[in-house]
Amino acid sequence: MAGTQIAIFDTTLRDGEQSPGCSMNLDEKVRLAHQLESLGVDIIEAGFPIASDGDFAAVAAVARECRNVTVAALCRTSEQDVLKAAAALQGAARPRIHTFVATSDLHLEYKLKKTRAEVIDMTRLAVALARDYAEEVEFSAEDATRSDVDYLCEVLAVAVEAGATIINVPDTVGYTMPAEFSRLVETIRERVVGDRDVQISVHCHNDLGLAVANSLAAVDAGARQVECTINGIGERAGNASLEEIVMAMKVRSDQLPYETSIDTQQIYPTSQLLSEVIGFPVQPNKAIVGRNAFAHEAGIHQHGIISNPLCYEIMTPESVGVPTNRLVLGKHSGRHALVLRYEELGYSPRAEEVEAVYKRFTALADRKKRIYDQDLIALLSAASRGGDSVPNDAASENNWAVVARA
Ligand code: KIV
Ligand code: ZN
């Protein structure tokens, strides 16, 4: 029996990009957006158009280029913000305006300096204005999990009355606990949504390492959209990680009878592309996409894996696009093996790039026993920039390993 469909709202290009060290230029955003489309996300949040001219241009470019996915633009609840988001989305095949305002007393008093009544008015006006420009309007109550529940429900109800089609419940500071969050989503479902055709979304941050657990608890309580990022990048400790949410639903479908439109074999190539673009390595023990996620070193584990991979693997590396028949690249490897490895990593270097990379590769292989994926990515990016740097050995030891599994 098919599970209930959960929409995957990817905010790598907005919330992810907002975190220190993760900024991307327009070309990089468009490249990543195309890969997110191949991954099968339902919505790409491409940026915050009023934040900068660069963000505006990036949202407009992603909206123009990505025709098979909904493209969302973030805005506060001011007229100027909403109009800017609408303008950036003008060329989109499926536009969504995502407007937000904080609802916790803490944010109202110290950040917005607004009364509860003023925030209600701002919500009504912004959502109604957004509906003039987009069929799909998402409203987020920032800091929802630290808001007074009655007031939160009142604001969300106003947003729905004004035309919001999706109401998002952000755990902005990663504060909530799974059971508590589940109760909050149930309350919103009963008191705000009822039998109306309005989708509940959740957006969890990872300050206590609970973003994925909280998102899954919310889905069980009735949320039908989850907001997440590749590699879990995002403000502070990050956002809920897309790959972990999707694979938890897939591997534990007995407990989580849900489906997504994600092509899971595109997970690893997407993770690698993001890591390359932002120059931010993934922690080695990161679930699903870390270099150790499918590595087995202990003799007893290796023996088990060789007899039957199920002994120590709950999903296959192939299912998330991690290449397995890996050739160990060294100084005796030829161009063919090198190109094959790049293809496994999701790259298609041009002939002249292969030549340039191959020269650097052999120089590096003379110095190092093992060449890591991250070395190859760095070599390719240096070659396409025309630079002549080769990765330094110590740094690359901390990165992605090219290791034969057996
Ligand atoms: O964390 C948050 O509250 C946000 C909102 C803008 C959705 O990113
Ligand atoms: Zn956020």
Side-chain angles (χ1 to χ4, degrees), residues 23-277:
S23 59
M24 294 169 230
N25 64 31
L26 187 139
D27 288 346
E28 291 167 339
K29 279 193 169 188
V30 170
R31 199 165 145 217
L32 211 57
H34 279 305
Q35 178 57 33
L36 291 170
E37 222 178 353
S38 307
L39 177 65
V41 306
D42 299 279
I43 303 106
I44 295 175
E45 184 164 57
F48 192 175
I50 199 131
S52 68
D53 291 344
D55 249 43
F56 183 94
V59 173
V62 172
R64 254 191 331 268
E65 298 238 356
C66 298
R67 313 303 296 172
N68 299 313
V69 67
T70 297
V71 178
L74 186 69
C75 54
R76 289 166 299 190
T77 47
S78 75
E79 184 181 359
Q80 211 195 1
D81 267 55
V82 175
L83 294 178
K84 203 75 174 172
L89 288 172
Q90 232 173 16
R94 300 187 215 160
R96 177 183 296 187
I97 297 180
H98 177 193
T99 185
F100 76 100
V101 68
T103 49
S104 66
D105 289 331
L106 195 66
H107 278 234
L108 262 62
E109 182 176 348
Y110 293 99
K111 190 182 80 174
L112 298 176
K113 304 197 188 316
K114 299 275 180 204
T115 64
R116 285 184 172 194
E118 284 171 322
V119 165
I120 287 189
D121 285 344
M122 288 157 67
T123 300
R124 183 183 300 108
L125 292 172
V127 172
L129 179 63
R131 274 306 298 262
D132 290 343
Y133 294 90
E135 281 293 304
E136 279 188 24
V137 172
E138 173 169 336
F139 172 76
S140 285
E142 191 189 10
D143 208 18
T145 51
R146 292 191 301 167
S147 302
D148 172 71
V149 179
D150 292 333
Y151 178 63
L152 172 66
C153 287
E154 196 183 337
V155 176
L156 293 175
V158 165
V160 170
E161 283 304 319
T165 49
I166 303 107
I167 47 174
N168 185 36
V169 190
D171 183 28
T172 303
V173 290
Y175 178 73
T176 198
M177 297 279 134
E180 177 188 41
F181 198 44
S182 164
R183 283 195 299 275
L184 179 63
V185 170
E186 263 168 32
T187 303
I188 292 168
R189 194 156 59 97
E190 284 161 16
R191 286 167 53 179
V192 180
V193 176
D195 52 15
R196 283 187 278 206
D197 189 18
V198 170
Q199 194 174 50
I200 298 181
S201 167
V202 288
H203 174 114
C204 297
H205 280 269
N206 207 28
D207 300 66
L208 291 173
L210 290 169
V212 169
N214 288 332
S215 305
L216 295 175
V219 166
D220 259 344
R224 292 294 171 260
Q225 173 181 285
V226 284
E227 303 197 354
C228 43
T229 59
I230 301 298
N231 298 342
I233 66 165
E235 290 275 13
R236 306 179 310 280
N239 288 61
S241 137
L242 180 149
E243 57 276 10
E244 293 176 24
I245 290 174
V246 168
M247 291 314 290
M249 288 178 188
K250 187 157 179 165
V251 172
R252 295 308 311 272
S253 57
D254 57 323
Q255 296 291 311
L256 300 165
Y258 308 109
E259 280 180 10
T260 69
S261 51
I262 296 297
D263 173 357
T264 61
Q265 293 189 345
Q266 290 295 324
I267 285 178
Y268 183 72
T270 312
S271 161
Q272 291 276 286
L273 177 63
L274 174 66
S275 179
E276 186 238 320
V277 162

Side-chain angles (χ1 to χ4, degrees), residues 385-405:
R385 283 197 313 269
D388 58 3
S389 63
V390 289
N392 99 27
D393 298 5
S396 56
E397 288 300 326
N398 289 325
N399 283 319
W400 301 74
V402 177
V403 193
R405 283 182 67 229

Side-chain angles (χ1 to χ4, degrees), residues 284 291-306 311-313 370 372 397 399 401-406:
R291 77 154 192 258
N292 289 348
F294 297 97
H296 305 278
E297 180 145 356
I300 189 169
H301 283 210
Q302 286 182 342
H303 176 72
I305 279 284
I306 292 164
C311 290
Y312 288 104
E313 281 180 359
R370 259 187 195 164
Y372 292 82
E397 288 300 326
N399 283 319
V402 177
V403 193
R405 283 182 67 229

Side-chain angles (χ1 to χ4, degrees), residues 287-336:
I288 322 292
V289 291
R291 77 154 192 258
N292 289 348
F294 297 97
H296 305 278
E297 180 145 356
I300 189 169
H301 283 210
Q302 286 182 342
H303 176 72
I305 279 284
I306 292 164
S307 310
N308 183 345
L310 287 175
C311 290
Y312 288 104
E313 281 180 359
I314 58 169
M315 65 196 122
T316 64
E318 294 89 339
S319 68
V320 292
V322 171
T324 49
N325 290 327
R326 294 174 168 194
L327 301 166
V328 179
L329 292 175
K331 63 180 178 183
H332 303 298
S333 306
R335 287 173 183 71
H336 186 66

